[in-house]
Amino acid sequence: QVQLVESGGGLVQPGGSLRLSCAASGIRFSIDGMGWYRQAPGKQRELVARMRSGDSTNYADSVKGRFTISRDNAKNTVYLQMNNLKLEDTAVYYCNVHTRWPALDYWGQGTQVTVSS
């Protein structure tokens, strides 16, 4: 059974920091990429950061310089360090795992991040 267990969300003031974690288990196929997406109320889900095999990374322009994605391949765990959080970072954050062959996407249940003064 595939499980993506997320943790680390919460309420933080603007300028604060949070660290999200996502531990994947039960995935039979080789993992190509692990990453984070987010969805704010009334908006579409968007890519926040992604790390592919070989450690190449992609970030949304809105988080560059503030967020850092990292990955522990031995533990099938991906992290998202979020610094200098802004009001507009408020959203549900979803962990994503992508396998290359077959091409499959797995999703976590989502963790709420709320930035508010």
Side-chain angles (χ1 to χ4, degrees):
Q1 181 180 359
V2 175
Q3 283 190 314
L4 274 63
V5 179
E6 301 163 343
S7 61
L11 173 65
V12 64
Q13 292 185 339
S17 298
L18 286 173
R19 187 186 192 220
L20 305 182
S21 300
C22 173
S25 61
I27 297 177
R28 297 171 52 197
F29 308 109
S30 178
I31 294 175
D32 179 32
M34 300 184 77
W36 293 91
Y37 289 71
R38 67 186 180 187
Q39 188 166 17
K43 295 188 176 181
Q44 290 189 329
R45 189 174 298 188
E46 63 175 0
L47 172 69
V48 176
R50 177 175 56 198
M51 178 173 277
R52 304 285 297 274
S53 57
D55 293 339
S56 65
T57 57
N58 297 97
Y59 291 93
D61 288 342
S62 59
V63 308
K64 284 180 181 178
R66 300 187 297 122
F67 291 10
T68 303
I69 189 170
S70 60
R71 179 174 164 180
D72 185 334
N73 291 328
K75 297 180 179 180
N76 278 349
T77 299
V78 63
Y79 306 94
L80 185 69
Q81 178 66 44
M82 304 184 293
N83 297 329
N84 190 21
L85 283 158
K86 302 178 179 181
L87 297 175
E88 53 264 38
D89 294 318
T90 295
V92 178
Y93 284 69
Y94 295 92
C95 174
N96 170 265
V97 172
H98 178 76
T99 61
R100 181 176 297 178
W101 184 259
L104 296 171
D105 282 285
Y106 300 95
W107 296 92
Q109 79 281 2
T111 185
Q112 177 70 46
V113 171
T114 302
V115 184
S116 175
S117 55

